[in-house]
Amino acid sequence: MLIRPGREAIDRLVRMALDEDAPWGDVTSQTLIAGSMRVTAQLVAREAGVLSGEDIFTAAMSLTDPAIRTHFVVHDAETFTGSTVLATIEGPAQGVLQAERVALNFVQRMSGIATLTAQYVAAIAGTKARIVDTRKTTPGLRLVERYAVRCGGGHNHRYSLSDAVMVKDNHLAMLAAGGAGTVTEALQAMRARLPHTTHVEVEVDRPEQIEAVLAAGADTILLDNFSTAQLASAVAQIAGRALVEASGGITLIRIHEVAETGVDIISVGALTHSVRSLDLGLDILPQ
């Protein structure tokens, strides 16, 4: 089941974007287009992809003018081909023109994320691995960008720093600099201070770090920038004592061989930080 962002959160994001784009209204449309004029428009795909963002597109239109009606015929997580009509929009012309760019910016970026995620998911079909995102999201847009990952068939990592423990290389470097004892001792002391429900993940960037982390009882071990051979060896070494996550520069070209090593999770920052917005357009129909 695809869990959508709540309406209140969507409206908050959309209002911020609308205020940024037209703080005192759309001076062009308001002086050029008659207020009584109504229009019918279509959201049209210029290329194939996976849709994400129908709720936020609709909100951009209705929050600009409640008289605008948006009807999607393709829905979130569904695929489409180029030239497909994704939605029909009807209402006051001034409002549709004012909302156009904000609505498109959201749905183009979210659909780009969903489409790229679907490509990664398809590339690991037949393996036990799952594709997950990272915290490398656009500030303020994490909620909708991570929803877009789910639309593409991917999964979400921890949502924020507050959700789970993730000990990264800089944490370990500071422990070493502070003379906190061995890594195992430091992690065990940390675990003793945590609620029993808190998941603990530890990042390692060298194979020789693995045993110390396992001894501390980590739930997940993140293997950062390991070669494919190192990943396979590490999976055999860990042998089910913790979940195994692979991360670090994993491209579509390499993703299948990474999944075949037996890792449980593959995190891909590029899903959100390097994605290309999908080419979607708003076409006004002849009156």
Side-chain angles (χ1 to χ4, degrees):
M1 177 180 173
L2 190 63
I3 300 175
R4 297 171 178 264
R7 178 62 186 269
E8 182 178 344
I10 285 178
D11 286 357
R12 184 168 58 247
L13 283 176
V14 170
R15 285 193 179 98
M16 178 181 66
L18 291 173
D19 288 344
E20 176 185 62
D21 200 44
W24 304 286
D26 176 5
V27 64
T28 305
S29 297
Q30 290 168 350
T31 55
L32 184 65
I33 306 299
S36 60
M37 184 177 181
R38 296 183 64 83
V39 70
T40 299
Q42 293 178 332
L43 176 64
V44 181
R46 312 290 194 220
E47 60 181 315
V50 177
L51 186 70
S52 181
E54 62 176 310
D55 290 347
I56 205 163
F57 183 97
T58 300
M61 291 292 171
S62 62
L63 289 176
T64 300
D65 190 328
I68 299 174
R69 296 289 178 263
T70 303
H71 174 66
F72 273 84
V73 292
V74 176
H75 301 287
D76 285 352
E78 294 181 352
T79 60
F80 53 83
T81 59
S83 301
T84 298
V85 175
L86 306 174
T88 300
I89 303 94
E90 298 178 327
Q94 286 185 1
V96 172
L97 291 172
Q98 181 171 324
E100 175 183 4
R101 179 43 52 198
V102 168
L104 283 175
N105 283 349
F106 277 119
V107 76
Q108 285 178 310
R109 178 164 180 80
M110 292 173 66
S111 295
I113 292 170
T115 301
L116 181 60
T117 302
Q119 292 171 1
Y120 273 89
V121 171
I124 65 166
T127 72
K128 72 171 185 176
R130 62 165 54 182
I131 299 296
V132 304
D133 51 25
T134 72
R135 285 172 43 246
K136 295 176 182 178
T137 53
T138 308
L141 298 183
R142 182 170 297 171
L143 180 71
V144 294
E145 290 185 347
R146 288 197 147 176
Y147 170 69
V149 168
R150 299 196 300 274
C151 287
H155 299 266
N156 299 142
H157 213 292
R158 59 174 180 164
Y159 183 78
S160 71
L161 292 171
S162 303
D163 295 323
V165 168
M166 188 168 179
V167 181
K168 297 178 71 67
D169 54 352
N170 283 339
H171 295 110
L172 295 177
M174 290 181 186
L175 285 175
T182 68
V183 168
T184 300
E185 290 169 343
L187 294 175
Q188 287 174 334
M190 176 195 68
R191 171 75 87 174
R193 293 190 291 271
L194 291 169
H196 71 281
T197 56
T198 303
H199 190 94
V200 175
E201 179 165 2
V202 183
E203 175 186 279
V204 302
D205 52 22
R206 300 186 308 278
E208 55 266 28
Q209 296 173 304
I210 292 173
E211 284 303 326
V213 172
L214 283 171
D219 301 300
T220 300
I221 297 180
L222 188 156
L223 308 175
D224 187 44
N225 287 306
F226 275 44
S227 69
T228 304
Q230 286 176 322
L231 287 173
S233 177
V235 168
Q237 178 183 355
I238 295 167
R241 290 178 286 172
L243 292 173
V244 182
E245 177 178 341
S247 186
I250 298 174
T251 64
L252 269 173
I253 295 174
R254 185 181 172 224
I255 189 74
H256 188 75
E257 69 179 46
V258 170
E260 286 192 317
T261 65
V263 298
D264 302 290
I265 304 153
I266 305 173
S267 53
V268 184
L271 298 180
T272 54
H273 75 61
S274 299
V275 70
R276 178 182 66 83
S277 293
L278 213 64
D279 190 1
L280 311 176
L282 191 71
D283 295 342
I284 304 297
L285 298 183
Q287 301 302 303

